């Protein structure tokens, strides 16, 4: 849903529950609006004539406002929303608490609020939130005692307290905001709406978010993928670790998707994940003030060797890379630097450098075509004036296209310089690793912009056959299918080992004879999960033995698990495991984000080493290729230690076809092809397990 | 080497090169000493009568000082050190640059300086350094315009600029120092001396270091292992990543050990590695001010849910764990908290909490026996006074034994509260993840203190036999030995597969007949590195075929690599790879730290997945066991997926015996047992490769 204009740039704001009473939220909101808002502020309070000199109305319907801010107790708030709707007010911020965060009564109240909002087509922020801010009009419709410094970052937070915490702290660091939203319970408007709106907003250059969950995963991914084509989006998602997820679920009670699904969603949407509040704003400040680099190679210019090495260490862990300076650049550096200085990267301008020498060296390295950005590190010395340095760096920044991150490794004596640089949109840091992390935000977003995700291929498949096979799950009390459903893969063009399920010794004999070489025979029963445990698998069976082995397998199953329904025996070609690599291709369905395709090493290594990667379906050829690159064991597929490389294209196509299968059938809750044997000549699925929800078929 | 008393607490300090000339280092040092030093300051300068009102001497020998600070040009500095020695001065700080950092002439000068120092038994700090500070006596023998705030942290830095950078910044954060040393070129005194000295210093409670290399690895590990029994040591080692290591080596020119060796050395010595300047002081400040927790379980007390989840996330990535509160604790929390608050961990005291409610909740959770520490998070609200909160937290800290970390999520409005808390030795942070990182420093050091490393076992081995086998390398131009050296393992009690090297078809036949089951036959030649590539290996050979296969293997080798010297053919039992797991046990020799024992999965997985771990030799049984725990694939050894667990004790003993072997013979530069097959019944080495330096045998 797009957000009606007027939420962030109203002409008249009604404050429902306005008061002058000390300590009241309605007073705090009024004070904030009266102090700074460019438009009109209309108090609504039937028990008083005026609030802060402004005539009070009895009802929201009398205000002629285009934004209503609601601070009355929760039971009344629902009626206020309905009344606002009747009066044609399209934007309402419900600050009041006492909704779904408080139990079943509150949840019913929130449902009534959503119903009223839907009926009138109203955008509601909250309830249970701090409010919203927008600096261009001076709108501070919050009860926070702090206001935002103007800027080009728009920030949404699922924690109201974090908004209060950040405003002042960010202002101290020269970080300003365009719009700020406390999302509250996200009853109507949520993260997707704001990503959508800010992605198209000319005044927002960066979107930052703190989120504890995402409500509609697929919509969010779509909206964010569009937004990040032009506007960087960085999100701190809490509940990343098990401890955090446990804390988050007891805090919000939200059904959150798995962390793997969030990572896959952010990757697909081009959203930059960050791990802490500091990282959110370290990265956000760089994205807000600086152009994107042309290349990941960066140069470090420092007046002290040690901190230069620290920066190089951080570069080694980042998307950035340490640039190799050209011969010309090194010659030119030698011209502007004393003999004792280093003309290699990190460029050490040494301890007696003044601001001009910094600027000269910086100009020379940025002139190098192989250098896309620079990290400038200044330690206090007898000759260096931090303010002078700030001025020359700001001037370099104005003259040139390349982004720079600045480390002032000093205490309060560098405060004035920091302000100068902030005014020139150059963020400053103390720690070299944080400066690199900030700059790396630009490199990471550059990768997002350059990444061509491609479109999913539409393979020609036999959907009807697949549906029929899936429908056979209706006979199964546990909703599971096994090797008897291999035809599903065939229907979607995924190669399977030659195999047949037979129901008699004679048929087993015929089936084995039709297959080249020895065969594997396995009992087929929905009730036998671990076939090997009951002697239900025989490998290396010659065609002549197949009839006997059929009898043996069935007899064993009857003896050891008398209740098991036996569907027959599978006769399958032997996989060429010597030349091949066992992989797993599977899918799960995340409650928030839908089908998630998983790829990794198969067999015992999947379980023990967890060397797998996941991508949201539907996925493109490029995304399937990226999954191969993403596993640690990729070299095993590509011919490590003199082995022949496997047929990568066949693996990639299998991943894509599986993606199409699980996208076509939401009824498939889980599916594993394990192993999918990959050889130089192609791939073959050996076994399959899936869980199907017959109700959604 | 211990440091003579007097370096940090001299009575009289001579400044050789003292002057009043503007901008001179000799003036800056004089000013710092005159301003703050409790003892006497004696300028040495033959060209003037007095400096800052103090009578100047012509020579250092006339000063009767117990510490000399040298700022004269490098060529004169060597003579000054010698003269100081003649005058009985035992401590000299050489600030002057122009030594090994400048090329061959400077290196020669530094050698002369070391020679003079050794001759007179003088402790020299530097050369090419910023100087030293010690706050108890007000000694500031540096040219830094900043001084240190007094405290209980002693700090050494291989970067002088970092000292200047940190002093002011740390003081702003309430972090104080006892001693500070700029290590410079470390010609005489190095990190080992200071770890040693500060480990025994009552005024030093924490040792922090910034190091670019460690000069004598073994001595450092010994000294640090002793120091960390009583005093925490945290080190920021730069050059951690490839990019950083490259930058470091061009910066210092030092031969640095491998990063893996540094990690192993820090682990062995109980040194806490940190990754950035901020982390060094986040962790250092907690260690300096707070007691160690009794348990890793921590409680979070917050007035805002979101930041509580952030803290829980960080706990999930740390040594700390989120405590489960007892029923009693939850009941007591309900008594002191309003209904809407959460009595689970994180404990949400909610937005209307005042300082007293924070204190009450904190007292209750710290009373829980399962809680060892707490993270307190305060966001700005209308009712919370930060200074009041600071006072009640300081009071809880005074009353109780448990450490607390405090997050004040606000800007400058919390500055006064931060100062109050710093005065009570409670560090404050803005970001919850940094507060947790600081607190985790205590948990990490607690683990160091609790860790019983054990002593290496002295196995009964046949050292003479091993020496003879190693000596056979003298015939090899490439210094390498292969399967013909399997007897080396036998000499050290490491089980090997039954095998024999034979030199005729008949002998091959006899050898195969003596082995149970089929055998593997491999050509043995020091010149054939990849035996399989020339068809030099046959597996599954029956005894009857052994003579023929002997001829075949030799013929293939002669045809395909005519120059190769052929030592014979190895006839070896087949490894039980079905029941077993291929592991690798090996060793390398690090230039700084000596032999490093490596353990991991064997075969192709070692190369591709790099799932290995390394420990410095000699190692104990406990350390060998920890290596098993440390690899990701450990569950494969312990019976993943219904397999029988392998004989772990045999693997552990093999690691220890290999450790003894490489410790006994420094001539072994590299050794790999790959694979060592581990089965439920024991282990067996299948193949070996080693490189031996005959010169050191």
């Amino acid at each position: 849903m797009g957000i009606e204009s007027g939420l962030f740039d109203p002409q008249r704001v009604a404050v429902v529950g306005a008061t002058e009473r000390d300590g009241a939220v309605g007073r705090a909101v009024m004070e904030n609006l009266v102090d700074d808002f460019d438009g009109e502020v209309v108090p609504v309070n039937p028990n008083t004539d005026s609030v802060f000199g402004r005539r009070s109305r009895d009802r929201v319907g009398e205000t002629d406002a285009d934004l209503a801010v609601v601070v009355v107790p929760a039971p009344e708030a629902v009626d206020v929303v309905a009344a606002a709707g009747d009066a044609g007010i399209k934007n309402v911020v419900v600050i009041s608490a006492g909704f779904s965060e408080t139990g079943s009564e509150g949840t019913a109240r929130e449902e009534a609020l959503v119903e009223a909002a839907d009926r009138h087509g109203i955008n509601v922020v909250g309830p249970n939130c701090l409010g919203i801010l927008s600096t261009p009009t001076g709108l501070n419709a919050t009860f926070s005692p702090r206001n935002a410094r103007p800027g080009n970052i728009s920030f949404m937070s699922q924690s109201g307290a974090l908004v209060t915490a950040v405003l002042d702290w960010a202002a101290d660091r020269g970080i300003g905001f365009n719009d700020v939203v406390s999302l509250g319970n996200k009853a109507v408007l949520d993260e997707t709406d704001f990503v959508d709106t800010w992605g198209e907003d000319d005044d927002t250059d960066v979107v930052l978010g703190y989120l504890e969950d995402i409500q509609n995963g697929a919509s969010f991914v779509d909206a964010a993928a569009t937004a990040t084509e032009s506007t960087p989006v960085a999100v701190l998602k809490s509940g990343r670790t098990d401890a955090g997820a446990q804390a988050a679920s007891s805090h919000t009670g939200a059904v959150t998707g798995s962390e793997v699904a969030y990572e896959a969603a952010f990757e697909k949407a081009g959203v930059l994940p960050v791990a802490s509040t500091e990282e959110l704003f370290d990265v956000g400040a760089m994205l807000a003030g600086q152009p994107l680099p042309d290349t990941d190679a960066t140069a470090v210019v420092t007046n002290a060797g040690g901190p230069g090495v620290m920066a190089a260490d951080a570069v080694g862990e980042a998307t950035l890379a340490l640039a190799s300076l050209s011969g010309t650049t090194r010659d030119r550096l030698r011209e502007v630097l004393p003999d004792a200085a280093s003309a290699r990267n990190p460029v050490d301008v040494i301890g007696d450098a003044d601001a001009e020498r910094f600027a000269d060296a910086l100009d020379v390295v940025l002139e190098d075509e192989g250098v896309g950005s620079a990290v400038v590190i200044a330690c206090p010395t007898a000759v260096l004036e931090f303010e002078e340095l700030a001025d020359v760096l700001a001037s370099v920044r104005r003259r040139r296209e390349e982004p720079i991150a600045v480390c002032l490794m000093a205490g309060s004596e560098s405060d004035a310089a920091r302000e100068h640089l902030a005014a020139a949109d150059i963020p400053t840091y103390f720690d070299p690793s944080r400066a690199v992390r900030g700059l790396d935000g630009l490199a990471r977003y550059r990768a997002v912009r350059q990444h061509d995700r491609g479109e999913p291929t539409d393979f020609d498949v036999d959907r009807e056959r697949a549906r029929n096979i899936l429908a056979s799950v209706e006979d199964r009390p546990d909703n599971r299918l096994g090797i008897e459903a291999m035809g599903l893969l065939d229907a979607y063009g995924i190669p399977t080992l030659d195999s047949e399920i037979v129901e008699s010794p004679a048929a087993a004999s015929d089936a084995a004879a039709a297959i080249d070489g020895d065969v594997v025979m396995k009992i087929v029963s929905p009730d036998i999960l671990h076939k090997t445990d009951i002697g239900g698998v025989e490998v290396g069976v010659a065609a002549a033995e197949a009839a006997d082995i059929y009898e043996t397998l069935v007899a064993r199953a009857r003896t050891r698990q008398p209740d098991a329904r036996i569907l027959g025996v599978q006769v399958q070609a032997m996989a060429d495991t010597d030349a091949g690599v066992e992989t797993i291709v599977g899918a799960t369905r995340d409650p928030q984000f839908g089908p998630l395709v998983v790829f990794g090493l198969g067999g015992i290594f999947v379980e023990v080493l967890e060397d797998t990667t996941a991508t949201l379906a539907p996925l493109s050829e490029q995304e399937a290729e990226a999954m191969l690159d993403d596993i640690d064991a990729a070299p095993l597929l590509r011919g490590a230690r003199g082995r022949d490389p496997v047929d990568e294209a066949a693996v990639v196509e299998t991943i894509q076809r599986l993606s199409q299968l699980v996208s076509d059938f939401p009824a498939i809750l889980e599916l594993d092809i394990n192993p999918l044997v990959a050889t130089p000549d192609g791939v073959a699925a050996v076994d399959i397990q899936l869980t199907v929800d017959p109700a959604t078929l």
Side-chain angles (χ1 to χ4, degrees), chain A:
Chain A
M1 181 181 357
I3 297 172
E4 290 280 328
S5 78
L7 178 61
F8 290 116
D9 53 353
Q11 306 293 313
R12 276 168 80 87
V13 179
V15 180
V16 186
T19 176
E20 289 182 18
R21 185 165 51 81
D22 264 350
V25 171
R27 178 189 171 109
V29 174
M30 277 300 291
E31 283 179 334
N32 283 336
L33 284 167
V34 166
D35 282 354
D36 298 311
F37 181 46
D38 293 345
E40 283 181 73
V41 184
V42 189
V44 178
N45 185 340
N47 305 318
T48 187
D49 290 340
S50 76
V51 181
F52 293 121
R54 279 158 179 82
R55 182 164 69 86
S56 176
R57 316 297 155 94
D58 289 351
R59 281 179 294 274
V60 71
E62 301 162 13
T63 57
D64 203 22
D66 45 2
L67 170 66
V69 182
V70 182
V71 299
V72 295
E76 299 164 39
V78 179
D79 294 338
V80 172
V81 170
D86 288 336
I89 300 173
K90 291 296 182 196
N91 295 299
V92 178
V93 176
V94 182
I95 288 176
S96 323
F99 290 86
S100 61
E101 80 281 7
T102 59
S104 59
E105 195 180 341
T107 301
R109 199 175 286 140
E110 189 160 312
E111 281 164 7
L113 184 142
V114 171
E115 193 276 324
D118 284 353
R119 198 170 61 238
H120 292 95
I122 303 179
N123 293 307
V124 176
V125 175
N128 182 31
C129 75
L130 185 81
I132 65 171
L133 290 111
S134 186
T135 56
T137 58
L139 177 76
N140 181 354
T142 76
F143 60 95
S144 164
R146 287 105 203 138
N147 207 337
R149 175 176 175 142
N152 55 355
I153 294 174
S154 288
F155 174 48
M156 57 183 164
S157 171
Q158 203 167 337
S159 161
L162 186 66
V163 173
T164 320
V166 154
L167 288 179
D168 210 32
W169 173 80
D172 287 352
R173 276 150 195 78
I175 298 171
F177 296 93
N178 188 59
D179 300 333
V180 178
V181 171
S182 163
L183 293 167
N185 294 359
K186 308 195 292 193
V188 177
L189 294 179
D190 65 16
E191 52 282 343
T192 301
D193 301 295
F194 292 104
V195 161
D196 199 17
T197 300
W198 289 331
E200 292 176 359
D201 175 18
D202 291 340
D203 295 330
T204 295
D205 292 331
V206 183
V207 176
L208 300 183
Y210 166 72
L211 298 176
E212 294 175 1
D213 64 359
I214 286 177
Q215 295 198 314
N216 184 329
S219 303
F220 178 80
V221 170
D222 282 350
T226 303
T228 56
E229 285 171 14
S230 58
T231 308
V233 178
V235 171
L236 171 58
K237 158 74 176 65
S238 67
R240 284 174 298 114
T241 67
D242 286 348
Q246 212 177 331
S249 78
S250 71
H251 165 50
T252 63
V255 177
T256 61
S258 74
E259 189 46 30
V260 171
Y262 276 103
E263 282 173 19
F266 285 5
E267 167 67 28
K268 194 158 196 119
V271 169
L272 307 179
V274 300
S276 69
T277 313
E278 282 184 350
E279 186 181 358
L280 186 66
F281 288 95
D282 281 355
V283 163
M286 281 300 294
L287 287 164
Q290 304 257 332
L292 295 184
D294 285 336
T295 155
D296 289 340
T298 193
V300 178
V301 178
T302 177
N303 67 348
V309 180
M310 292 180 205
D313 264 331
V315 166
E317 286 166 345
T319 299
L320 292 166
L322 209 59
S324 294
L325 303 179
S326 72
T328 312
T329 300
R330 292 214 301 276
D331 289 344
R332 294 188 52 205
L333 279 174
R334 284 186 201 101
E335 284 168 25
V336 300
L337 297 179
D339 288 348
S342 166
R344 304 181 63 157
N345 191 11
V347 177
D348 190 344
V349 298
I350 70 174
D352 63 349
D354 58 7
E356 280 308 322
R357 195 193 291 166
F358 263 102
D360 290 346
L362 187 58
D363 259 327
V364 170
V365 295
L366 291 179
E367 200 64 38
D368 191 320
E369 286 198 355
V371 174
S373 60
V375 181
V376 177
I377 303 173
C379 290
T381 66
V383 291
L384 184 66
E385 297 287 341
F386 280 119
E387 285 179 71
E388 207 181 308
L389 179 68
D391 292 336
V392 301
L393 293 177
S395 142
V396 171
R397 183 70 270 289
R398 275 192 300 274
R399 275 188 286 111
R400 306 199 59 97
E401 291 299 308
E402 299 84 4
I404 56 177
V406 177
C407 240
L408 302 181
M409 296 195 75
S412 45
E413 70 188 295
S414 61
D415 286 351
R418 285 178 204 281
E419 280 172 34
H420 284 211
L421 286 162
D425 292 330
I426 303 175
T428 56
Y429 308 85
F430 172 82
D431 193 306
S433 67
R434 281 182 65 184
V436 169
R437 182 168 78 177
L439 191 62
D440 201 45
L442 299 178
R444 291 165 69 194
Y445 181 57
R446 176 175 168 269
V448 167
R449 285 273 282 263
Q450 289 204 324
H451 187 36
D452 175 14
R453 278 184 181 71
E455 291 296 321
T457 307
D458 188 16
F459 294 98
D460 189 18
V461 297
D462 187 345
R463 204 159 160 163
E464 203 44 43
R465 183 180 164 206
R467 182 183 304 278
N468 290 337
I469 294 170
L470 291 171
S472 69
V473 84
E474 283 168 10
D475 306 333
R476 307 291 173 77
D478 61 355
N479 293 344
R480 295 173 64 94
L481 293 172
I483 44 175
E484 69 279 10
M486 289 286 275
L488 187 64
L489 301 181
D490 196 42
Y492 267 69
I494 296 172
T496 57
L497 275 190
D498 273 357
S499 86
E500 198 176 329
I501 296 176
V502 294
E503 293 173 41
S504 73
S509 196
D510 291 349
I515 290 171
D516 207 26
D518 288 351
V519 297
V520 182
M521 292 177 64
K522 300 178 194 168
I523 196 80
V524 180
S525 163
D527 305 314
I528 301 173
L529 278 184
H530 299 287
K531 295 185 270 280
T532 43
D533 291 357
I534 61 130
V537 178
E538 287 286 333
V539 300
V541 179
E545 311 163 303
D548 286 350
I549 296 288
Y550 181 97
E551 308 254 32
T552 309
L553 291 175
V554 172
R556 282 182 192 153
R558 292 239 162 90
T559 313
R560 299 183 193 173
Q561 204 165 320
D563 296 341
R565 288 161 299 164
I566 293 167
L567 305 181
V569 169
Q570 187 199 35
V571 180
Q572 188 177 48
M574 300 272 284
D576 183 7
T577 45
D578 277 353
V581 177
E582 289 195 358
T583 67
I584 179 173
V585 181
T588 59
R589 191 163 296 272
D590 184 82
Q592 302 296 332
F593 294 100
L596 196 62
V597 175
V598 176
F599 172 73
L601 271 197
I604 198 166
F605 289 100
V606 161
E607 287 185 29
V608 173
L609 298 177
E610 295 174 356
D611 183 20
T612 59
T613 182
T615 301
L616 290 185
L619 52 77
S620 66
E621 185 178 352
Q622 290 92 324
E623 288 175 306
E625 281 166 355
M627 292 179 79
L628 249 74
D629 293 332
D630 209 34
I631 65 168
D632 293 338
L636 283 182
L637 299 171
R638 289 170 176 161
R641 296 236 304 199
R643 293 162 67 112
D644 287 331
V646 309
D647 182 350
E648 263 188 67
V651 176
V652 167
E653 190 173 318
T654 300
I655 295 171
Q656 291 171 268
R657 286 177 179 271
L658 183 79
S659 158
Q660 186 168 341
L661 173 62
V662 296
S663 302
D664 285 350
F665 295 101
I668 301 176
L669 303 179
E670 269 189 7
L671 190 159
D672 273 344
I673 305 176
N674 185 13
L676 175 86
V677 175
T679 68
D681 303 320
V683 297
V686 176
D687 202 353
I688 183 175
Q689 291 270 2
L690 65 162
T691 308
V692 182
D693 175 10
T696 58
L697 199 63

